[in-house]
Amino acid sequence: MASIQREIDVDVALGDAWDALRDVGNIHRRLVPGFVTDCRMEGHVRVVTFGNGTVVREPILSIDEARHRVAWAAVGGSFEHYNASVQAFDLGDGRTRLRWIADLLPDEAAATVEGMIEEGLRVMKATLEPAG
């Protein structure tokens, strides 16, 4: 099983980063606009449309207020398995680290997913930072 872990530091306080991250039905507006062009909730399942037109159903597994962590899966499509999370860590001085972890099958999808995660984190940084 492929496992990918990437992180990025953002110049925004933990409370502001977490407020956007935990708003799982509005990531296309508050967290990753353009990378995700549409998002809607169907119960606990987030239906995400990516900028490339791909639509993915993502059951939300956890919104952990204490750990500032959102976890989700992806069902259907080409994945045999996909589970991911983004967690926010307070760095002090109004800075936050965002860590995205994904575990997936088949292994051959890892390079594509890794590129998407890196792009998603870049968009998060641009969106969350005051100048973004």
Side-chain angles (χ1 to χ4, degrees), residues 13-19 21-22 62-71 85-90 96-99:
L14 174 64
D16 293 331
W18 174 240
D19 188 58
L21 180 61
R22 70 178 309 284
S62 173
I63 300 173
D64 188 330
E65 298 287 342
R67 291 183 178 87
H68 305 108
R69 179 179 175 268
V70 173
S85 65
V86 174
Q87 187 168 4
F89 299 90
D90 188 3
T96 301
R97 176 164 294 145
L98 299 172
R99 181 174 297 143

Side-chain angles (χ1 to χ4, degrees), residues 21 23-61 70-77 79 82 84 86 100 116 120 123-124:
L21 180 61
D23 191 2
V24 295
N26 285 300
I27 61 171
H28 62 305
R29 292 186 185 105
R30 301 193 60 204
L31 198 61
V32 286
F35 179 71
V36 171
T37 58
D38 190 46
C39 178
R40 69 180 187 282
M41 296 299 296
E42 294 179 356
H44 75 284
V45 176
R46 176 171 64 188
V47 181
V48 176
T49 303
F50 289 93
N52 65 7
T54 301
V55 178
V56 178
R57 295 181 60 79
E58 299 179 339
I60 302 299
L61 305 174
V70 173
W72 67 95
V75 295
F79 290 114
Y82 184 91
V86 174
W100 190 331
M116 290 182 73
V123 174
M124 282 183 203

Side-chain angles (χ1 to χ4, degrees), residues 9-15 89-97 129-130:
D9 295 349
V10 294
D11 291 327
V12 65
L14 174 64
F89 299 90
D90 188 3
L91 298 177
D93 296 325
R95 293 180 46 80
T96 301
R97 176 164 294 145
E129 288 186 345

